[in-house]
Amino acid sequence: MKFTTQEDFDAKIKSVLITEEEIKNAIGRAGEYINNLYDGRPILIVSILKGAFVFMADVLRAVTVPCEIDFMVAKSYYSGTVSSGMVQITMDLTHDVGDYHVVILEDIVDTGRTLHDVVGLLKERHPLSLHVITLLDKPERRVVDYTPDLSLFVIPDRFVIGYGLDYGEYFRNLPYIAECEG
């Protein structure tokens, strides 16, 4: 998909579901959640790329305790709008999580497959603790039994874009969450 005009780009944005201001207000809850985990032992904040990188950047600014960061790439959507049903880890962490309280930051929990697989993989590595914070949660789409520790927003079954979430690699730069015209 390529956009030749701004009008074509804008036409894909059906409606704004969560405003920039609402996101900013919710980020503080995530930062406080992470701050409360700190007990003098290291915290490792993990972003699932690519979608959670914007979320991670803002959450990090809300965290006031010492922490480190790392990244994973776990794909299930590829370039479409429907999950492929198969999760593939294409980039793993560089840290040994055994010495950390691990906090996974995820952009959206939809079917639950990606986080189910990622959490299972990381639990096998024996972190001090493992927590998941998601920006968006779509519980009605679950196909596996999975619930994040903290969901900032629960949304209906809509295909959403913005604030790191994409449609064919576009729209990540929007400062809000919008429903995408398919």
Side-chain angles (χ1 to χ4, degrees):
M1 165 188 7
K2 299 283 184 206
F3 293 99
T4 56
T5 67
Q6 184 68 41
E7 292 78 24
D8 290 341
F9 183 82
D10 293 341
K12 286 288 190 190
I13 302 169
K14 189 172 181 180
S15 64
V16 174
L17 296 179
I18 304 169
T19 67
E20 182 176 6
E21 191 63 30
E22 289 171 316
I23 294 169
K24 285 179 183 177
N25 290 336
I27 292 295
R29 289 192 355 242
E32 192 60 33
Y33 185 94
I34 294 168
N35 291 340
N36 288 331
L37 293 174
Y38 187 66
D39 63 1
R41 294 181 290 177
I43 294 175
L44 179 66
I45 300 175
V46 175
S47 174
I48 306 297
L49 295 176
K50 295 180 187 174
F53 78 100
V54 175
F55 180 43
M56 180 189 214
D58 285 346
V59 168
L60 284 173
R61 287 188 276 274
V63 172
T64 59
V65 298
C67 64
E68 296 177 47
I69 65 169
D70 208 340
F71 301 92
M72 287 184 89
V73 177
K75 296 173 77 170
S76 66
Y77 274 83
Y78 306 97
S79 63
T81 61
V82 178
S83 175
S84 68
M86 298 181 59
V87 177
Q88 179 183 14
I89 305 296
T90 60
M91 184 179 91
D92 207 343
L93 300 175
T94 58
H95 286 75
D96 174 0
V97 300
D99 297 328
Y100 292 92
H101 292 291
V102 175
V103 180
I104 298 172
L105 296 180
E106 178 65 302
D107 55 353
I108 188 167
V109 180
D110 191 331
T111 64
R113 285 185 185 117
T114 300
L115 275 176
H116 180 267
D117 289 1
V118 168
V119 166
L121 173 73
L122 294 183
K123 280 184 176 179
E124 290 175 2
R125 299 175 185 177
H126 307 289
L128 299 174
S129 66
L130 180 62
H131 303 267
V132 175
I133 301 172
T134 187
L135 175 66
L136 304 174
D137 191 0
K138 284 198 239 180
E140 66 189 76
R141 293 263 305 148
R142 287 299 188 284
V143 296
V144 297
D145 184 22
Y146 185 79
T147 304
D149 297 293
L150 177 63
S151 300
L152 298 184
F153 298 97
V154 176
I155 63 170
D157 184 13
R158 307 281 191 279
F159 187 76
V160 291
I161 53 173
Y163 198 71
L165 290 97
D166 74 304
Y167 176 39
E169 293 298 326
Y170 287 96
F171 302 103
R172 293 186 193 277
N173 58 313
L174 298 177
Y176 51 82
I177 303 294
E179 184 176 353
C180 182
E181 190 69 50

